[in-house]
Amino acid sequence: MLGDAVNVSLIVVRAIHFAATAITVGVLIFRAVMAQPAPHLTGAARILVMEQMIVRAAWIGVAVTVASGAAWVLLEAAAMSGLPLGEAATTDILSTVLAETQFGMVSEIRVALAIVLAACLSYDRLPLAQPLALASSLGLIAGIAWTGHAGSSAGDIGSIHVMADALHLIAAAAWLGGLVPFTLLLAEVRRNQDHASAFVSQAARRFSSLGMLSVGTILATGIVNAWILVGSIKGLLTTEYGWLLIVKIFLFMIMLAFAAINRYWLTPDLALPLGNEAQLKAVRRLTRNSGIEIAFGLAIFAVVGVLGTLHPAVHLAN
Ligand code: HEM
């Protein structure tokens, strides 16, 4: 019973942690790719809307990332020691987990990166603050690769696996995390058309190009992950791990369908003249579709929350 309770909490906390870290990184990638290099779209109003939204979202993301990260360490300490949570939260157990396990040492490095990120967000106007914020956030999400199955693969395959998983995580953050500020921007356009809509057409085109690059990377690195951790069709079709991965790929395919509709049907209409009925409809539908994509993305994080706690199929289906 105790094991089950810890395991369920571990799955929930892992899912929240993956989602919060991905959103934190996604909003900063969105700012770097969308907001900055568009001088002809300057205008105080646009910059203000974007900057405030991005910094606020990043702060909320960092706070949830750190809180869920601390809970994850506690739950891992309980799972590793086999002790109830209260007893596992003693300094001895925790310091052993932090100092003597790869998970613990990587978590310490990730806490340091979260502190650097928070400092950069506090001084966001300083010249180096924004690139440093982005760099530390990329380290924060890539570091997750060393805490899971990829981090325990050995040898040359192990190096390929952990690099592929780190790229997988960054690409997932760029797409899924980026959907959050994109949806917030669309909502801003619906609220206040005159100062943002010229920008939204440009942002939508850029976001869908970033989306394409991220999807390609997610797929390629996902296949590498699956090849190493599943290893065979038998592993995919006859193990719990394999079935869960099939569910994940199915959710991914649905997200891809929405992304294709957004890119090929709705985004072109954003360039229509301001207030045009088709343009307004496109903004409404893009906002709805992006919201649906985010929901499916969160479902994928829930699936991954479980996957990382299961024995990989490759060890079971021989
Ligand atoms: C939007 C789509 C996707 C998102 C957000 C996503 C996200 C993630 C995350 C957060 C992890 C955890 C990494 C870790 O614990 O080290 C992961 C692992 C993994 N992903 Fe994905 N992924 C996506 C699509 C895919 C696809 C399409 C595939 C297969 C082709 C795939 C296969 C895997 C595998 C096999 C793992 C390893 C799980 C484990 O640690 O046991 N993913 N993914």
Side-chain angles (χ1 to χ4, degrees):
M1 287 304 290
L2 172 68
D4 293 347
V6 167
N7 207 31
V8 171
S9 323
L10 201 52
I11 290 167
V12 173
V13 163
R14 279 168 46 86
I16 293 171
H17 187 71
F18 291 154
T21 316
I23 292 169
T24 308
V25 178
V27 294
L28 296 174
I29 293 176
F30 186 87
R31 175 167 70 177
V33 175
M34 292 324 129
Q36 296 302 336
H40 66 286
L41 286 171
T42 55
R46 178 205 53 88
I47 292 179
L48 199 59
V49 167
M50 290 297 299
E51 295 298 349
Q52 286 168 344
M53 184 171 60
I54 294 281
V55 173
R56 203 177 311 128
W59 267 120
I60 296 168
V62 172
V64 179
T65 298
V66 171
S68 58
W72 188 9
V73 170
L74 268 182
L75 287 164
E76 283 289 358
M80 289 178 189
S81 63
L83 294 169
L85 208 52
E87 286 176 45
T90 61
T91 40
D92 289 356
I93 305 279
L94 274 183
S95 50
T96 310
V97 169
L98 288 171
E100 293 172 24
T101 69
Q102 176 168 309
F103 171 78
M105 289 183 260
V106 172
S107 299
E108 288 177 314
I109 296 168
R110 296 186 66 232
V111 169
L113 288 167
I115 293 169
V116 172
L117 175 53
C120 293
L121 291 176
S122 310
Y123 298 97
D124 193 56
R125 294 247 163 275
L126 293 183
L128 278 182
Q130 296 193 8
L132 196 55
L134 180 60
S136 52
S137 72
L138 290 173
L140 192 60
I141 193 141
I144 293 175
W146 279 264
T147 65
H149 287 140
S152 48
S153 291
D156 293 346
I157 290 286
S159 316
I160 296 170
H161 191 185
V162 83
M163 285 304 152
D165 199 42
L167 262 183
H168 191 72
L169 286 153
I170 292 172
W175 184 26
L176 267 176
L179 274 167
V180 173
F182 183 57
T183 310
L184 291 174
L185 173 68
L186 290 168
E188 171 62 27
V189 167
R190 292 183 65 187
R191 257 197 310 277
N192 212 327
Q193 289 195 5
D194 54 355
H195 68 233
S197 38
F199 174 61
V200 76
S201 170
Q202 170 94 20
R205 278 201 302 281
R206 285 181 185 209
F207 185 61
S208 88
S209 306
L210 175 73
M212 300 268 280
L213 179 68
S214 308
V215 165
T217 309
I218 288 172
L219 202 51
T221 53
I223 291 169
V224 172
N225 257 333
W227 169 55
I228 295 168
L229 293 167
V230 180
S232 65
I233 298 298
K234 185 178 175 208
L236 192 65
L237 301 179
T238 63
T239 65
E240 220 182 343
Y241 188 96
W243 299 332
L244 214 49
L245 185 59
I246 291 172
V247 170
K248 184 182 178 188
I249 295 170
F250 180 67
L251 293 170
F252 172 69
M253 305 293 274
I254 296 175
M255 285 185 69
L256 273 189
F258 277 99
I261 293 167
N262 291 354
R263 182 183 173 88
Y264 296 109
W265 277 275
L266 299 176
T267 297
D269 283 356
L270 290 181
L272 292 169
L274 186 63
N276 172 295
E277 188 42 41
Q279 195 243 19
L280 295 175
K281 203 186 275 180
V283 172
R284 270 199 309 278
R285 290 183 174 162
L286 262 175
T287 315
R288 179 203 60 204
N289 287 0
S290 304
I292 294 171
E293 278 184 75
I294 291 171
F296 277 98
L298 294 177
I300 287 181
F301 284 126
V303 171
V304 175
V306 184
L307 269 179
T309 64
L310 298 179
H311 287 295
V314 74
H315 300 158
L316 305 170
N318 287 327

